[in-house]
């Protein structure tokens, strides 16, 4: 319910008093407990992080797990993002991350992934997968074995 509280906006025609009562009701349902300033800051960052996510699929999974700490949220969401990006190598139509990001934010390897082969552009290449150069943590071949040498 913290997400509902953080994202609730005044409705058209709703008075400020009605808006406040709706926020108060949502706040009472948040099961608030006494926390330190650091814990409060982490809760606020976690809520803003989840609310601001581009991927509705990952956001929904994070909202289902509202018991996670900020660190656990960051770890799980990063793992889900990588898994979702790598899913296109099995079936490009199943990857949801590309649809939720503007074209400039989607990594170059997605176009190659959708085509099912390395990109033919003349720019720098990834040593591991052959696609357009990208950060190592986003490389689809980062945890695979080489077919030539077995490493």
């Amino acid at each position: 319910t913290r997400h509902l509280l953080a994202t609730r906006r005044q409705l058209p025609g709703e008075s400020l008093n009605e808006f406040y009562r709706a926020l108060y009701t949502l706040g009472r349902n948040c099961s608030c407990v006494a926390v330190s300033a650091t814990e409060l800051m982490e809760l606020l960052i976690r809520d803003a992080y989840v609310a601001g996510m581009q991927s509705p699929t990952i956001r929904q999974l994070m909202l289902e797990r509202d018991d996670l700490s900020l660190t656990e949220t960051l770890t799980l969401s990063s793992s889900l993002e990588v898994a979702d990006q790598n899913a296109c190598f099995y079936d490009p139509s199943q990857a949801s991350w590309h649809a939720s990001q503007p074209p400039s934010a989607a990594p170059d390897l997605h176009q190659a992934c959708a085509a099912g082969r390395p990109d033919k552009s003349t720019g720098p290449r990834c040593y591991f997968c052959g696609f357009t150069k990208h950060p190592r943590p986003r490389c689809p071949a980062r945890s695979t074995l080489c077919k030539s040498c077995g490493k």
Side-chain angles (χ1 to χ4, degrees):
T1 56
R2 283 194 329 254
H3 178 71
L4 295 175
L5 178 62
T7 57
R8 174 67 159 82
R9 302 289 179 255
Q10 184 179 8
L11 302 173
E14 182 178 43
S15 72
L16 288 175
N17 192 34
E18 292 168 331
F19 178 51
Y20 165 74
R21 284 196 309 259
L23 291 174
Y24 187 82
T25 301
L26 288 171
R28 289 181 54 112
N29 293 331
C30 283
S31 62
C32 298
V33 296
V35 295
S36 69
T38 303
E39 291 170 322
L40 177 60
M41 180 186 69
E42 287 189 359
L43 284 172
L44 294 172
I45 291 170
R46 180 200 182 278
D47 290 348
Y49 178 74
V50 170
M53 287 179 173
Q54 290 283 325
S55 170
T57 305
I58 296 174
R59 183 182 320 109
Q60 179 181 351
L61 292 169
M62 294 297 100
L63 289 171
E64 290 172 3
R65 301 285 313 273
D66 67 349
D67 59 327
L68 298 176
S69 69
L70 176 59
T71 303
E72 293 168 328
T73 299
L74 294 172
T75 301
L76 181 58
S77 63
S78 294
S79 296
L80 290 169
E81 180 181 46
V82 169
D84 194 36
Q85 290 170 359
N86 289 338
C88 72
F89 285 97
Y90 297 99
D91 182 0
S93 67
Q94 297 300 310
S96 64
W97 64 276
H98 67 280
S100 63
Q101 292 183 349
S104 61
D108 290 336
L109 67 102
H110 177 66
Q111 285 84 21
C113 173
R117 61 190 182 290
D119 188 347
K120 298 292 184 201
S121 68
T122 58
R125 303 243 174 239
C126 173
Y127 174 80
F128 300 99
C129 69
F131 292 116
T132 303
K133 189 89 170 140
H134 51 265
R136 179 73 170 131
R138 289 192 149 185
C139 182
R142 79 186 172 295
S143 60
T144 59
L145 295 176
C146 176
K147 291 179 182 175
S148 298
C149 67
K151 290 184 182 179

